[in-house]
Amino acid sequence: MRAGIAGAAVGLLAAAVLSACGGSGGGGGSAASTSTSGSSPSSSAESAAAASGAGQGTPTTVMVTAKEYSLTLSMNTFSPGRYTFQLSNTGGTTHGLEIDGPGVEDQKAQEIAPGGSSSITVTLQKGKYELYCPVPGHRQLGMETDITVG
Ligand SMILES: [Cu+2]
């Protein structure tokens, strides 16, 4: 019985190979996959900005964890390009994220309550950027970090 199934499988395989060879006449096997993943992230405002920008494609996402009183980034090495800083608040009070540096001034993600998240997309150039929580007093308490791009 097993032999019979195996034989059938081999037969199918042979048929497939044969048909594949036979069909090599005009590429008529319209096997074009239609799986163009149109799952673009919900970044309506940012896509407009991207269009007017240098067209550097999809931003790299950087996770930023905010709590009392620190900002922790998911990556430390940056090259010039577009980045989305995804802020999540794991602390017990409101936090935000502001970025200042070459070409980026007063760009900030929305301040969020504990458990919340927000994001900001910026184009980073070579140079040094400061990231900090704009909530009064938080930066002084340690919610700041620098990144160097280049
Ligand atoms: Cu804060």
Side-chain angles (χ1 to χ4, degrees):
M1 205 52 177
R2 285 183 182 280
I5 291 172
V10 169
L12 280 173
L13 194 64
V17 170
L18 280 174
S19 66
C21 289
S24 67
S30 64
S33 72
T34 56
S35 64
T36 43
S37 66
S39 61
S40 61
S42 59
S43 57
S44 51
E46 279 112 27
S47 60
S52 66
Q56 295 172 74
T58 306
T60 301
T61 298
V62 184
M63 305 303 298
V64 183
T65 304
K67 65 179 188 215
E68 299 84 39
Y69 287 95
S70 66
L71 286 176
T72 306
L73 306 185
S74 64
M75 56 187 284
N76 298 303
T77 304
F78 296 85
S79 54
R82 287 181 63 74
Y83 291 85
T84 295
F85 289 87
Q86 183 76 47
L87 178 70
S88 65
N89 184 351
T90 63
T93 188
T94 297
H95 293 300
L97 174 66
E98 182 160 345
I99 304 177
D100 287 320
V104 179
E105 271 185 54
D106 296 330
Q107 297 284 326
K108 59 182 77 175
Q110 190 176 2
E111 292 180 12
I112 46 176
S117 65
S118 61
S119 68
I120 178 178
T121 299
V122 296
T123 298
L124 301 183
Q125 309 165 7
K126 277 195 173 190
K128 190 174 179 183
Y129 291 80
E130 297 177 321
L131 284 68
Y132 58 92
C133 177
V135 174
H138 287 196
R139 183 179 187 176
Q140 289 72 20
L141 287 165
M143 295 192 70
E144 67 174 337
T145 186
D146 292 343
I147 62 173
T148 300
V149 180

